C-alpha cells in the first residue's frame, strides 16, 4: 500500500481563533487515528470487564478476580517506559497496527479457552502487555497529525474518548454477555480490533521523530539504545520540574480513580443496594455523561483561563465529590423513595466524571506543550508507568481496608487525601507554570 505524507490544513487567523474539535476531525489522518482509538479502547474495556465477570461466574472467587485486576495493572509498570522508547524509535503507525492486530488474534483464544481460569488470567496479562505499546504511540502521534494550536482540541477529543470508552465498555460488558452470549460478544470484539487495525494501516507514516536518528539499523534502535533512551527520558523529565509536577498530579488522580473503581462493586451491592446491572446504569453511565460535559466545558475554558487552573479545578471537583459520598445516609433518610438516592448517587458520579476529565485533558495538553517530537513517546510511557506504579499498591491497600473499614469511609478518606494534595501543590504548580511561560 502506497504511503502518503502528512499535510496539515492551513491555519488562518480566524481558524486559529475558533479552533475546535470539528477542525481537527476534518483532517483525514487524525480522523483515522481517532477511529482506531474508539474501536480499540472500547473493545479493550469491554473485554477486560467481560473477563472479570466470566472469571467470577466460573470460580466465585474474589481473590482470583483481584489477581486478574492486578495482572491487567502490572504490565504498564514494566513495559510502558519501554513502549515509550519504541514509540520514539519506530514508525508509530506500525506500532499501532501491530498492537491492534495482535490483540485481535489473541482475543480469538478466548473462544477456545474461556472455561479455564488460568487461561483467562494469562490472556488478560498478554493483552494488557500488548496494549502498553499502543498507548504511548497513540498519544505521541497526536502532535504529528494536528497543528500546535489544535493540541487542546485534539486532546479534548482523545481524553473524552478514552474516558467514555472506559465507562461505556464497562457498562456494556454485563448486558452484552447477558443478551448476546460469550461467543457473539467476543466475535464482535475481535472484529472491532480488526477494524481498528485497518484504520492504522491507512494512516500516513508517523516518523518525523526518526529524522535525527540517521542511519541506525533497526536492531540498534530496538535493543542497543533502549536503556540509554529510557535514562534520557527520565533525565528530561527531572530537568523540567513543571512537567514533573504535571505528571505527578496526573498520576495521583489516576491512582485515586482506580482505587475508587475497585470499590464500586462493594459500594453498589452492600451500601447502595444496587445489582451489578444497576451499577452500570446509575454510577458508570452518569460518570460518562459528566466526562462528556467536562470535555466540552474544558475546551471552552482553554482560551479563558490557564490550563493549570483547569487541572486544579478538576481535582477540587473530584475531591469534594468524594467527600460528599457519606451524605448518602442523609439522602436515604429523608428520601420518599429509592429514586432520591439514585439521583444523589448519579449526580455525584456525574461530577466525578467531569472533574477527572478536566485534569486529564488539561494535563495531557500541558505534557504535549512541554515535550518535543523526539521525547514525547518516552514521556508518555513514563507517565503510564508511574500511574500504574502508584495505583497498584493503592488498589491493594484499599482492597485490604475494604474488609475492615466501611467503604464510604475509605472513599471520604481518598477525597481528603486529594484535597491535601491540592493544598500542598497549588502554589508550586502555579509558580513553575510561570517559569515555563
Amino acid at each position: 500500500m502506497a504511503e502518503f505524507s502528512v499535510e496539515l490544513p492551513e491555519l488562518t487567523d480566524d481558524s486559529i481563533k475558533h479552533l475546535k474539535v470539528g477542525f481537527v476531525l476534518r483532517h483525514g489522518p487524525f480522523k483515522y487515528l481517532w477511529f482506531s482509538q474508539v474501536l480499540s479502547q472500547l473493545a479493550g474495556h469491554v473485554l477486560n470487564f467481560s473477563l472479570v465477570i466470566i472469571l467470577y461466574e466460573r470460580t466465585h472467587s474474589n481473590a482470583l478476580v483481584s489477581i486478574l485486576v492486578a495482572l491487567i495493572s502490572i504490565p504498564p509498570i514494566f513495559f510502558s517506559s519501554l513502549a515509550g522508547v519504541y514509540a520514539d524509535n519506530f514508525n508509530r503507525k506500525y506500532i499501532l497496527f501491530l498492537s491492534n492486530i495482535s490483540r485481535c488474534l489473541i482475543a480469538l483464544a478466548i473462544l477456545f479457552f474461556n472455561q479455564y481460569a488460568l487461561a483467562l488470567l494469562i490472556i488478560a496479562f498478554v493483552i494488557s502487555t500488548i496494549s502498553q505499546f499502543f498507548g504511548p504511540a497513540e498519544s505521541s502521534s497526536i502532535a504529528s497529525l494536528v497543528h500546535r494550536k489544535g493540541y487542546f482540541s485534539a486532546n479534548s477529543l482523545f481524553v473524552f474518548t478514552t474516558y467514555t470508552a472506559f465507562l461505556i465498555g464497562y457498562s456494556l460488558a454485563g448486558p452484552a454477555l447477558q443478551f448476546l452470549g460469550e461467543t457473539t460478544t467476543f466475535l464482535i470484539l475481535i472484529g472491532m480490533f480488526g477494524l481498528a487495525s485497518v484504520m492504522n494501516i491507512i494512516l500516513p507514516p508517523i516518523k518525523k521523530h526518526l529524522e535525527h536518528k540517521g542511519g541506525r539499523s533497526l536492531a540498534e534502535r530496538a535493543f542497543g539504545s533502549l536503556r540509554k533512551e529510557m535514562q534520557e527520558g527520565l533525565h528530561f523529565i527531572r530537568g523540567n520540574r513543571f512537567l514533573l509536577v504535571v505528571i505527578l498530579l496526573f498520576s495521583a488522580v489516576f491512582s485515586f480513580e482506580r482505587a475508587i473503581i475497585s470499590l464500586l462493586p462493594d459500594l453498589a451491592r452492600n451500601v447502595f443496594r444496587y445489582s451489578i446491572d444497576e451499577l452500570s446504569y446509575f454510577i458508570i453511565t452518569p460518570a460518562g455523561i459528566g466526562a462528556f460535559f467536562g470535555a466540552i466545558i474544558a475546551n471552552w475554558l482553554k482560551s479563558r483561563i490557564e490550563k493549570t487552573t483547569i487541572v486544579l479545578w478538576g481535582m477540587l471537583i473530584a475531591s469534594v465529590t468524594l467527600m460528599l459520598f457519606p451524605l448518602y445516609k442523609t439522602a436515604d433518610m429523608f428520601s420518599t423513595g429509592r429514586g432520591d438516592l439514585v439521583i444523589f448517587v448519579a449526580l455525584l458520579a456525574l461530577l466525578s466524571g467531569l472533574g477527572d476529565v478536566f485534569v486529564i485533558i488539561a494535563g495531557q495538553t500541558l505534557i504535549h506543550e512541554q515535550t518535543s517530537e523526539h521525547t514525547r513517546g518516552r514521556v508518555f510511557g513514563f507517565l503510564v508507568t508511574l500511574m500504574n506504579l502508584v495505583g497498584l499498591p493503592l488498589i491493594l491497600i484499599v482492597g485490604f481496608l475494604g474488609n475492615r473499614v466501611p467503604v464510604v469511609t475509605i472513599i471520604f478518606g481518598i477525597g481528603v487525601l486529594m484535597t491535601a494534595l491540592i493544598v500542598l501543590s497549588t502554589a508550586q504548580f502555579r509558580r513553575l507554570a510561570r517559569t515555563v511561560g
Side-chain angles (χ1 to χ4, degrees):
M1 179 178 294
E3 295 183 338
F4 53 95
S5 61
V6 178
E7 295 181 1
L8 300 178
E10 182 180 359
L11 282 179
T12 64
D13 290 340
D14 184 66
S15 64
I16 291 174
K17 183 178 179 181
H18 298 95
L19 196 60
K20 297 183 185 299
V21 167
F23 179 86
V24 294
L25 264 183
R26 285 196 296 271
H27 182 50
F30 177 81
K31 180 169 59 181
Y32 297 138
L33 182 68
W34 180 65
F35 285 161
S36 170
Q37 182 202 21
V38 171
L39 292 165
S40 63
Q41 290 193 348
L42 183 58
H45 291 310
V46 173
L47 177 61
N48 283 342
F49 202 52
S50 294
L51 291 176
V52 169
I53 293 171
I54 292 171
L55 184 63
Y56 185 78
E57 289 179 343
R58 297 279 191 275
T59 65
H60 298 287
S61 170
N62 288 322
L64 281 177
V65 171
S66 298
I67 291 172
L68 175 65
V69 174
L71 287 173
I72 293 173
S73 301
I74 287 173
I77 298 173
F78 294 100
F79 297 109
S80 289
S81 292
L82 177 65
V85 175
Y86 270 81
D88 285 341
N89 279 276
F90 293 96
N91 187 334
R92 291 166 183 157
K93 162 184 174 175
Y94 295 118
I95 297 176
L96 297 171
F97 170 74
L98 290 173
S99 298
N100 278 325
I101 199 65
S102 298
R103 287 184 288 182
C104 175
L105 296 174
I106 293 172
L108 280 169
I110 299 175
L111 297 176
F112 302 98
F113 299 102
N114 59 357
Q115 298 297 321
Y116 304 100
L118 179 60
L120 294 177
L121 294 173
I122 293 172
I123 290 170
F125 177 78
V126 173
I127 289 180
S128 179
T129 300
I130 294 172
S131 298
Q132 306 319 308
F133 290 85
F134 182 86
E138 176 197 48
S139 298
S140 53
S141 294
I142 296 174
S144 301
L145 299 177
V146 298
H147 289 278
R148 183 180 180 86
K149 292 291 185 179
Y151 284 1
F152 201 100
S153 294
N155 278 306
S156 295
L157 181 63
F158 263 70
V159 170
F160 167 71
T161 302
T162 298
Y163 203 85
T164 305
F166 167 76
L167 294 165
I168 293 177
Y170 275 64
S171 298
L172 288 179
L177 291 172
Q178 180 181 359
F179 295 109
L180 300 178
E182 293 180 17
T183 299
T184 302
T185 297
F186 287 122
L187 285 174
I188 292 172
L189 299 181
I190 290 166
M192 291 173 69
F193 280 128
L195 188 55
S197 303
V198 174
M199 294 296 103
N200 296 145
I201 205 63
I202 62 178
L203 282 170
I206 307 175
K207 57 181 182 180
K208 183 179 178 181
H209 54 288
L210 300 179
E211 292 175 356
H212 75 296
K213 296 184 183 295
R216 287 193 300 165
S217 69
L218 189 68
E220 285 181 307
R221 294 203 303 266
F223 304 108
S225 64
L226 289 182
R227 181 177 179 181
K228 176 184 176 183
E229 295 201 16
M230 289 174 69
Q231 291 174 338
E232 288 176 353
L234 291 173
H235 179 74
F236 175 80
I237 294 169
R238 286 197 300 266
N240 186 329
R241 293 186 63 191
F242 175 69
L243 178 62
L244 179 60
V245 171
V246 172
I247 290 175
L248 290 174
L249 291 178
F250 202 123
S251 300
V253 172
F254 174 85
S255 300
F256 293 143
E257 175 188 282
R258 183 69 66 88
I260 296 298
I261 290 171
S262 69
L263 295 173
L264 284 182
D266 190 16
L267 182 71
R269 187 174 287 176
N270 298 321
V271 177
F272 297 141
R273 301 181 299 279
Y274 293 165
S275 67
I276 295 297
D277 290 339
E278 289 176 323
L279 168 67
S280 298
Y281 302 142
F282 300 143
I283 296 181
I284 298 179
T285 299
I289 295 172
F292 173 77
F293 286 108
I296 294 174
I297 296 170
N299 207 44
W300 179 78
L301 288 172
K302 69 179 182 183
S303 59
R304 293 166 173 81
I305 62 176
E306 296 293 330
K307 299 180 188 71
T308 51
T309 302
I310 298 176
V311 171
L312 294 171
W313 281 10
M315 292 180 65
L316 182 61
I317 292 170
S319 63
V320 171
T321 299
L322 295 177
M323 290 190 292
L324 287 175
F325 260 97
L327 293 180
Y328 85 94
K329 292 182 179 179
T330 304
D332 197 21
M333 184 183 304
F334 292 100
S335 66
T336 56
R338 189 163 178 261
D340 293 338
L341 180 59
V342 168
I343 293 172
F344 175 76
V345 174
L347 180 60
L348 292 183
L350 186 147
L351 291 173
S352 178
L354 186 147
D356 285 348
V357 165
F358 269 28
V359 176
I360 297 169
I361 290 176
Q364 184 163 306
T365 301
L366 288 169
I367 293 172
H368 270 109
E369 292 175 347
Q370 293 297 312
T371 55
S372 69
E373 191 71 46
H374 309 305
T375 60
R376 193 167 289 125
R378 276 166 283 179
V379 171
F380 275 103
F382 177 77
L383 171 64
V384 175
T385 298
L386 186 61
M387 287 192 302
N388 286 276
L389 187 62
V390 174
L392 184 59
L394 186 59
I395 292 170
L396 296 175
I397 291 171
V398 165
F400 174 80
L401 291 176
N403 294 326
R404 296 161 176 80
V405 180
V407 172
V408 173
T409 302
I410 297 174
I411 293 176
F412 178 81
I414 292 174
V416 172
L417 286 175
M418 189 178 293
T419 302
L421 182 62
I422 296 170
V423 173
L424 293 173
S425 62
T426 296
Q428 184 179 27
F429 192 29
R430 291 187 183 279
R431 180 177 59 79
L432 291 172
R434 288 193 293 270
T435 64
V436 297

